[in-house]
Each structure stands twice: as structure tokens, then as C-alpha cells.
Amino acid sequence: MCQDDKKVYETIVGRRTIRKFRPEPVARELLERLVDAARLAPSAANLQPLEFVVVDEAALTAAIFPCLKWAAYIAPAGDPRPGEEPTSYVVALANTKVREKMFEYDLGAAMENMILAALEEGVGSCWMLSIDRDKLRAILGVPEDYRIDSVLALGYPAEDPAAEVLGDSCKYWKDEAGRLHVPKRALNTVLHLNKF
Ligand SMILES: Cc1cc2nc3c(=O)[nH]c(=O)nc-3n(C[C@H](O)[C@H](O)[C@H](O)COP(=O)(O)O)c2cc1C
């Protein structure tokens, strides 16, 4: 679906982490555009320590999948089942020769840029830190002076998770129909106007 007329705010409000995907591939051109969106994100001191590996070859995506841990609160119910795996990945690297630490702020901005740019084109994603970095490094041939920070798993969504108002617990859950519900703090619990 083309969502060109959607405002950024609407895309933000409608975004949920996706962990079940349809098998259609994401176009290489779009994956490259996501990295373009990432490289243009704000960067502390404009040092730009981040680089990205786009992975869309079937043999490599199959090799990456076992390196990932999904939805820890409900494991294994949040795992993509066979046929629901991500069809591509963007692996985010930090060049430690450029910046040894504090690249996480840049990383967060770059990842969110990619997540929103993908969603605007109907592509869902899961930002992942629970990853086997040693295995990934070997699979992708990442040099030792690059830190493997995050993986963005991508594909066309095969689920439609719902945001809920946070109650007692921040743990997301699945209902009887298998739909994921994600509790979010209400605006009035995070917003302070003028004074705390
Ligand atoms: C830095 C970061 C790391 C994450 N790592 C994982 C992960 O390893 N596996 C996973 O299934 N989800 C991961 N998530 C997704 C979170 O579980 C998800 O954002 C959270 O449950 C809220 O859901 P929402 O994204 O739909 O708002 C991560 C999210 C962030 C921001």
C-alpha cells in the first residue's frame, strides 16, 4: 500500500514492532533508501561512526535467523514461525576507531529513521539487541574494530499488534486469537507542563 500522504506523526502512532512477516521480499532499492535515511540522522559532533550491512540474500537471511531472540516476555510465542521469518535485515555497526563509546544516541536516531521510512512503505520491523554478535560477525565478515550494535529485522507485516494503556505491568501479551498487545504509558503519566 502506498502511504505517501501519511504524516510522520501518524506513522509514529501507528508503528508497532512486527515479529511475523509475509514472504514477499523487500526491494533492494528500498533497503538502500533505509540506510540513506539512517546516514542522514542527527549525529553527536557529526562524527558519523555508523555503518550498515544490508542483508537480503536467502542463504544469509537463513543463517542470521538463528542468531536472534524474539519477544523475551512471551517466548517462544513471539517467535516468527516457519514462513513468517523476516525477509531482510539491516545490521547496524559502529566504527570504534571513529568513536569508542556514546555512539548509542546516533544509533537510536538512525534506527528510528529506518523504522519510520520502512513503515511509510508498508514494511514492518523489529529492532533487536538480543543477538549472537560472535556468530553474526562470522557470518557477515565484520572486522573486529566495528561493534555490532543492533539488527533491524524487516518484512511485510503478517500481524497487527495493538497499543494498550499501561496498567500494572510493562509486559506485552497475546490474546486468545494470537494478537499481540503492547502496554504504553499514558501521555499524562510522562508529560510535565512547565514544572515537574
Ligand atoms: C533497543 C531495543 C532493543 C530491542 N531488542 C529486541 C529483541 O532483541 N528482540 C525482540 O523481539 N524485540 C526487541 N525490541 C522490541 C521491543 O520489545 C519493543 O519495542 C517493545 O516491546 C515495545 O513494543 P513496540 O515497539 O511495538 O512499541 C527491542 C527494542 C529496542 C528499542
Side-chain angles (χ1 to χ4, degrees):
M1 184 175 82
C2 179
Q3 303 183 353
D4 285 349
D5 52 348
K6 230 184 181 184
K7 297 235 181 337
V8 173
Y9 175 75
E10 288 166 26
T11 305
I12 290 168
V13 169
R15 182 206 64 81
R16 293 273 64 77
T17 288
I18 298 298
R19 300 185 180 85
K20 294 181 182 301
F21 303 92
R22 305 201 307 266
E24 299 102 90
V26 178
R28 171 73 63 84
E29 188 193 23
L30 175 53
L31 295 170
E32 290 185 12
R33 183 133 55 94
L34 300 187
V35 176
D36 202 39
R39 91 179 160 84
L40 293 166
S43 172
N46 207 24
L47 285 171
Q48 304 174 66
L50 306 180
E51 297 183 27
F52 305 88
V53 184
V54 167
V55 183
D56 61 358
E57 275 182 30
L60 286 172
T61 57
I64 288 177
F65 186 70
C67 302
L68 310 174
K69 284 217 176 82
W70 301 87
Y73 287 141
I74 56 170
D79 294 8
R81 289 173 302 212
E84 296 174 338
E85 298 95 340
T87 55
S88 46
Y89 299 96
V90 177
V91 180
L93 312 175
N95 184 344
T96 56
K97 282 192 185 149
V98 175
R99 179 143 219 176
E100 230 174 281
K101 47 188 182 175
M102 298 277 282
F103 50 75
E104 291 86 355
Y105 296 96
D106 288 20
L107 210 291
M111 296 300 278
E112 188 70 358
N113 270 12
M114 289 197 282
I115 289 166
L116 295 177
L119 190 53
E120 245 183 4
E121 300 299 326
V123 172
S125 62
C126 183
W127 178 355
M128 311 192 74
L129 280 188
S130 293
I131 54 183
D132 186 329
R133 291 179 174 77
D134 293 337
K135 269 197 202 157
L136 262 184
R137 187 178 295 284
I139 292 166
L140 302 176
V142 177
E144 284 296 329
D145 45 8
Y146 283 77
R147 154 115 185 135
I148 298 178
D149 186 273
S150 306
V151 169
L152 189 64
L154 292 151
Y156 289 94
E159 66 169 341
D160 179 26
E164 307 291 348
V165 174
L166 180 82
D168 298 336
S169 169
C170 64
K171 293 183 179 175
Y172 43 79
W173 75 92
K174 284 207 167 180
D175 64 24
E176 309 75 47
R179 189 177 191 203
L180 185 68
H181 297 264
V182 184
K184 292 287 180 185
R185 291 177 67 182
L187 179 61
N188 64 1
T189 70
V190 299
L191 170 65
H192 306 273
L193 278 173
N194 292 317
K195 285 196 170 186
F196 194 91

